[in-house]
Amino acid sequence: MKAYIIYENEDWMPPLRSALDAADVPYEEWFVDDGHFDVTGTPPEGIFLNRMSASSHTRGHGPAVEHTRQLIAWLERHGRRVVNGSHAFELEISKVQQHAALEQAGLRTPATRAVAGGPEALLAAAQDVPTPFVTKHNRGREGARRAALPHPRGV
């Protein structure tokens, strides 16, 4: 069975290539930064490994996440096996869904707010959050977009 590797970060590929080659697994790489696919067509038979990262935009691959979402939906609609498929991928790119999964598993979570907007929205949401607190962006890559904001209560 052929493996199809969906990815956008070349740095992650050498160890995977080596392992697939050593195991004599036939594979094809699908570099997903931009591009197209025929939604009326049928995807090839095989197993698909999604290696897409929520932080792809920090490497200049802005359209990659949304394109991968649609690609995975197409593959799954045709019954293809996708490792790290739609459920796993949506969980990776959504802190709200991660929070819900943790709570559903019975794990305690800190005070959490979902915020859209700039610093003003963040400050408004933080009014009743105990200090200290941490901000985490859905697609921030190790805090790449962290904002140094004063605490709304001056703490």
Side-chain angles (χ1 to χ4, degrees):
M1 178 180 297
K2 189 171 189 177
Y4 294 86
I5 316 303
I6 301 165
Y7 74 105
E8 61 73 42
N9 187 346
E10 179 60 35
D11 292 342
W12 297 341
M13 293 303 293
L16 181 57
R17 288 181 188 122
S18 294
L20 292 170
D21 289 340
D24 202 28
V25 174
Y27 65 94
E28 183 177 315
E29 297 177 14
W30 287 8
F31 184 81
V32 180
D33 175 23
D34 57 13
H36 59 87
F37 61 94
D38 181 359
V39 299
T40 63
T42 303
E45 295 288 337
I47 186 167
F48 296 80
L49 173 60
N50 175 23
R51 301 271 307 173
M52 182 55 60
S53 170
S55 63
S56 60
H57 67 284
T58 65
R59 288 178 292 281
H61 304 145
V65 167
E66 187 56 34
H67 187 69
T68 299
R69 285 171 124 168
Q70 303 313 314
L71 179 61
I72 290 171
W74 175 67
L75 293 168
E76 290 177 344
R77 197 168 44 253
H78 285 277
R80 299 303 185 262
R81 181 169 181 204
V82 181
V83 177
N84 298 325
S86 58
H87 179 73
F89 193 50
E90 292 302 316
L91 187 62
E92 178 183 347
I93 63 177
S94 172
K95 298 299 180 273
V96 171
Q97 289 187 37
Q98 291 170 18
H99 183 271
L102 290 169
E103 289 211 327
Q104 187 175 19
L107 300 172
R108 289 183 11 205
T109 57
T112 304
R113 306 293 182 269
V115 180
E120 295 80 18
L122 181 59
L123 290 170
Q127 290 296 318
D128 64 339
V129 176
T131 58
F133 64 86
V134 174
T135 65
K136 181 64 176 130
H137 301 274
N138 273 343
R139 300 181 194 173
R141 186 181 162 202
E142 301 170 24
R145 298 191 306 157
R146 275 186 225 156
L149 300 172
H151 190 277
R153 295 187 299 268
V155 175

